[in-house]
Amino acid sequence: EIVLTQSPGTLSLSPGERATLSCRASQVVISRYLVWYQQKPGQAPRLLIYGASSRATGIPDRFSGSGSGTDFTLTISRLEPEDFAVYFCQLYDNSPLYIFGQGTKLEIK
Amino acid sequence: QVQLQESGPGLVKPSGTLSLTCAVSGGSISSSYWWTWVRQSPGKGLEWIGEINHSGSTYYNPSLKSRITISVDKSKSQFSLTLSSVTAADTAVYYCAAVPGGCSATSCYLNFWGQGTLVTVSS
């Protein structure tokens, strides 16, 4: 089973700064199956990025995804106050069908 | 757009059976979506449980397969999860979600989510 490892576990930044979140797979994966979600306290995850780099409907262009092979990145170009949340990566695979990373908490510095 | 709402008991006794239902609105349960269950606990993060389509085809997480059943009731526009022989390790927030059908050719993701329901396993 593929394992997704996200780093850092917690990222402390200020509004206006750039955030770079990493998701590393334990083996080479198909990029179009790599997805990112945002989760705020008490809410369900919200789809941000699919296919490694395509923004979901309604997602601001300050969010971008990149990567291939085993290394993927979610970048938030200029942090807004509402961006402080937990971010998860997810992979579609054979079995189990959906694998999640453990999450990165983005907190206000 | 599709809206999902979980319902079911918030407390289940150890060795008992957890039963949850997800009501689908804003779209047809007979559409091409795969209707999915995911849970989230502090210890294990997000964990995919399984999914079903409108025809009743299912895929289950191998780690839970012996204990879970997912079913669909098109007449009520809902799908359900049962998890048997529960322990404290099954305590989690349970979400239902929807995955676009035919996604393996493009990208597979959980597009719509319910708000989640906390299920605690305790005597």
Side-chain angles (χ1 to χ4, degrees), chain A residues 32-35 37 39 42-47 50-52 56 88 90-92 95-102, chain B residues 34 36 38 40 45-48 51 59-62 95 99 103-111 113-116:
Chain A
R32 70 173 184 266
Y33 292 154
L34 196 287
V35 178
Y37 301 91
Q39 186 178 33
Q43 297 183 16
R46 177 175 72 143
L47 177 67
Y50 63 93
F88 294 95
Q90 171 241 299
L91 178 70
Y92 174 72
S95 183
L97 291 185
Y98 298 90
I99 300 167
F100 294 90
Q102 83 280 15
Chain B
W34 283 85
T36 302
V38 173
Q40 185 173 30
L46 286 162
E47 181 179 30
W48 175 74
E51 63 182 18
Y59 291 98
Y60 295 149
N61 189 322
Y95 294 100
V99 175
C103 64
S104 59
T106 53
S107 182
C108 292
Y109 46 80
L110 287 73
N111 198 11
W113 295 70
Q115 65 185 27

Side-chain angles (χ1 to χ4, degrees), chain A residues 39 42-45, chain B residues 4-6 93-96 113-118:
Chain A
Q39 186 178 33
Q43 297 183 16
Chain B
L4 304 168
Q5 178 67 59
E6 306 90 349
V93 175
Y94 285 75
Y95 294 100
C96 57
W113 295 70
Q115 65 185 27
T117 187
L118 174 63

Side-chain angles (χ1 to χ4, degrees), chain B residues 32-116:
Chain B
S32 61
Y33 284 102
W34 283 85
W35 307 105
T36 302
W37 289 99
V38 173
R39 68 182 183 180
Q40 185 173 30
S41 60
K44 294 194 70 176
L46 286 162
E47 181 179 30
W48 175 74
I49 298 171
E51 63 182 18
I52 190 168
N53 69 3
H54 65 90
S55 300
S57 297
T58 55
Y59 291 98
Y60 295 149
N61 189 322
S63 68
L64 299 168
K65 188 173 183 178
S66 63
R67 299 195 291 132
I68 59 176
T69 301
I70 298 176
S71 59
V72 64
D73 186 336
K74 288 187 283 188
S75 68
K76 294 182 178 179
S77 195
Q78 64 185 34
F79 61 104
S80 300
L81 167 71
T82 60
L83 176 65
S84 62
S85 305
V86 298
T87 70
D90 295 310
T91 294
V93 175
Y94 285 75
Y95 294 100
C96 57
V99 175
C103 64
S104 59
T106 53
S107 182
C108 292
Y109 46 80
L110 287 73
N111 198 11
F112 301 108
W113 295 70
Q115 65 185 27

Side-chain angles (χ1 to χ4, degrees), chain A residues 6-13 21 85 102-108:
Chain A
Q6 293 188 241
S7 62
T10 301
L11 183 59
S12 299
L13 293 170
L21 288 67
Q102 83 280 15
T104 289
K105 181 179 181 181
L106 178 57
E107 65 177 24
I108 299 177

Side-chain angles (χ1 to χ4, degrees), chain B residues 6-21:
Chain B
E6 306 90 349
S7 61
L11 181 64
V12 181
K13 293 187 183 326
S15 77
T17 296
L18 178 160
S19 295
L20 296 174
T21 296

